[in-house]
mmCIF file of all heavy atoms in Angstrom:
data_model
loop_
_atom_site.group_PDB
_atom_site.id
_atom_site.type_symbol
_atom_site.label_atom_id
_atom_site.label_comp_id
_atom_site.label_asym_id
_atom_site.label_seq_id
_atom_site.Cartn_x
_atom_site.Cartn_y
_atom_site.Cartn_z
ATOM 1 N N GLY A 58 -39.722 102.914 2.836
ATOM 2 C CA GLY A 58 -39.201 102.616 4.175
ATOM 3 C C GLY A 58 -39.355 103.820 5.061
ATOM 4 O O GLY A 58 -39.912 104.923 4.739
ATOM 5 N N THR A 59 -38.723 103.662 6.205
ATOM 6 C CA THR A 59 -38.760 104.739 7.285
ATOM 7 C C THR A 59 -37.361 104.881 7.845
ATOM 8 O O THR A 59 -36.457 104.109 7.571
ATOM 9 C CB THR A 59 -39.715 104.370 8.394
ATOM 10 O OG1 THR A 59 -39.292 103.131 8.995
ATOM 11 C CG2 THR A 59 -41.149 104.189 7.911
ATOM 12 N N VAL A 60 -37.230 105.923 8.609
ATOM 13 C CA VAL A 60 -36.054 106.188 9.378
ATOM 14 C C VAL A 60 -36.404 106.633 10.789
ATOM 15 O O VAL A 60 -37.618 106.870 11.057
ATOM 16 C CB VAL A 60 -35.104 107.241 8.802
ATOM 17 C CG1 VAL A 60 -34.513 106.776 7.444
ATOM 18 C CG2 VAL A 60 -35.817 108.525 8.600
ATOM 19 N N ASN A 61 -35.479 106.696 11.730
ATOM 20 C CA ASN A 61 -35.769 107.232 13.060
ATOM 21 C C ASN A 61 -36.963 106.439 13.774
ATOM 22 O O ASN A 61 -37.883 107.095 14.235
ATOM 23 C CB ASN A 61 -35.949 108.666 13.071
ATOM 24 C CG ASN A 61 -34.723 109.454 12.916
ATOM 25 O OD1 ASN A 61 -33.657 108.970 13.334
ATOM 26 N ND2 ASN A 61 -34.807 110.616 12.420
ATOM 27 N N ARG A 62 -36.906 105.097 13.724
ATOM 28 C CA ARG A 62 -37.840 104.330 14.475
ATOM 29 C C ARG A 62 -39.298 104.581 13.889
ATOM 30 O O ARG A 62 -40.238 104.750 14.648
ATOM 31 C CB ARG A 62 -37.755 104.554 15.978
ATOM 32 C CG ARG A 62 -38.135 103.359 16.758
ATOM 33 C CD ARG A 62 -37.900 103.609 18.247
ATOM 34 N NE ARG A 62 -36.474 103.679 18.652
ATOM 35 C CZ ARG A 62 -35.800 102.591 18.939
ATOM 36 N NH1 ARG A 62 -36.258 101.391 18.849
ATOM 37 N NH2 ARG A 62 -34.499 102.701 19.301
ATOM 38 N N GLY A 63 -39.446 104.602 12.533
ATOM 39 C CA GLY A 63 -40.738 104.643 11.943
ATOM 40 C C GLY A 63 -41.173 105.964 11.362
ATOM 41 O O GLY A 63 -42.327 106.101 10.961
ATOM 42 N N SER A 64 -40.306 106.928 11.407
ATOM 43 C CA SER A 64 -40.654 108.210 10.889
ATOM 44 C C SER A 64 -40.749 108.128 9.338
ATOM 45 O O SER A 64 -39.844 107.672 8.705
ATOM 46 C CB SER A 64 -39.647 109.271 11.255
ATOM 47 O OG SER A 64 -39.930 110.532 10.601
ATOM 48 N N ASP A 65 -41.878 108.686 8.770
ATOM 49 C CA ASP A 65 -42.020 108.677 7.349
ATOM 50 C C ASP A 65 -41.487 109.945 6.703
ATOM 51 O O ASP A 65 -41.532 110.062 5.447
ATOM 52 C CB ASP A 65 -43.495 108.426 6.960
ATOM 53 C CG ASP A 65 -44.389 109.439 7.593
ATOM 54 O OD1 ASP A 65 -43.983 110.367 8.249
ATOM 55 O OD2 ASP A 65 -45.630 109.242 7.521
ATOM 56 N N VAL A 66 -40.929 110.862 7.483
ATOM 57 C CA VAL A 66 -40.343 112.065 6.931
ATOM 58 C C VAL A 66 -38.848 111.797 6.743
ATOM 59 O O VAL A 66 -37.994 112.096 7.488
ATOM 60 C CB VAL A 66 -40.466 113.268 7.850
ATOM 61 C CG1 VAL A 66 -40.023 114.522 7.193
ATOM 62 C CG2 VAL A 66 -41.960 113.436 8.305
ATOM 63 N N ILE A 67 -38.607 111.108 5.549
ATOM 64 C CA ILE A 67 -37.270 110.564 5.229
ATOM 65 C C ILE A 67 -36.220 111.744 5.144
ATOM 66 O O ILE A 67 -35.155 111.603 5.672
ATOM 67 C CB ILE A 67 -37.322 109.849 3.878
ATOM 68 C CG1 ILE A 67 -38.456 108.764 3.824
ATOM 69 C CG2 ILE A 67 -35.922 109.276 3.565
ATOM 70 C CD1 ILE A 67 -38.241 107.683 4.802
ATOM 71 N N GLY A 68 -36.549 112.824 4.461
ATOM 72 C CA GLY A 68 -35.656 113.903 4.308
ATOM 73 C C GLY A 68 -35.160 114.567 5.583
ATOM 74 O O GLY A 68 -34.108 115.106 5.649
ATOM 75 N N ALA A 69 -36.032 114.535 6.619
ATOM 76 C CA ALA A 69 -35.652 115.123 7.828
ATOM 77 C C ALA A 69 -34.875 114.180 8.751
ATOM 78 O O ALA A 69 -34.197 114.620 9.653
ATOM 79 C CB ALA A 69 -36.920 115.563 8.678
ATOM 80 N N GLY A 70 -34.830 112.920 8.405
ATOM 81 C CA GLY A 70 -34.181 111.904 9.275
ATOM 82 C C GLY A 70 -32.893 111.384 8.682
ATOM 83 O O GLY A 70 -32.135 110.683 9.402
ATOM 84 N N MET A 71 -32.531 111.691 7.458
ATOM 85 C CA MET A 71 -31.299 111.277 6.858
ATOM 86 C C MET A 71 -30.784 112.075 5.709
ATOM 87 O O MET A 71 -31.632 112.720 5.086
ATOM 88 C CB MET A 71 -31.421 109.742 6.478
ATOM 89 C CG MET A 71 -32.277 109.473 5.267
ATOM 90 S SD MET A 71 -32.190 107.813 4.615
ATOM 91 C CE MET A 71 -30.523 107.778 3.988
ATOM 92 N N VAL A 72 -29.481 111.908 5.470
ATOM 93 C CA VAL A 72 -28.979 112.464 4.195
ATOM 94 C C VAL A 72 -28.030 111.420 3.626
ATOM 95 O O VAL A 72 -27.534 110.562 4.365
ATOM 96 C CB VAL A 72 -28.128 113.780 4.451
ATOM 97 C CG1 VAL A 72 -29.003 114.910 4.932
ATOM 98 C CG2 VAL A 72 -27.047 113.536 5.430
ATOM 99 N N VAL A 73 -27.898 111.449 2.302
ATOM 100 C CA VAL A 73 -27.233 110.319 1.682
ATOM 101 C C VAL A 73 -26.462 110.826 0.462
ATOM 102 O O VAL A 73 -26.982 111.784 -0.233
ATOM 103 C CB VAL A 73 -28.163 109.130 1.323
ATOM 104 C CG1 VAL A 73 -29.209 109.511 0.372
ATOM 105 C CG2 VAL A 73 -27.392 107.888 0.901
ATOM 106 N N ASN A 74 -25.318 110.260 0.110
ATOM 107 C CA ASN A 74 -24.761 110.482 -1.196
ATOM 108 C C ASN A 74 -24.228 109.156 -1.715
ATOM 109 O O ASN A 74 -24.772 108.141 -1.275
ATOM 110 C CB ASN A 74 -23.584 111.549 -1.045
ATOM 111 C CG ASN A 74 -22.402 111.148 -0.224
ATOM 112 O OD1 ASN A 74 -22.213 109.872 0.001
ATOM 113 N ND2 ASN A 74 -21.656 112.086 0.264
#
Side-chain angles (χ1 to χ4, degrees):
T59 60
V60 293
N61 284 334
R62 214 175 285 278
S64 173
D65 53 11
V66 188
I67 308 297
M71 72 170 291
V72 294
V73 64
N74 62 23

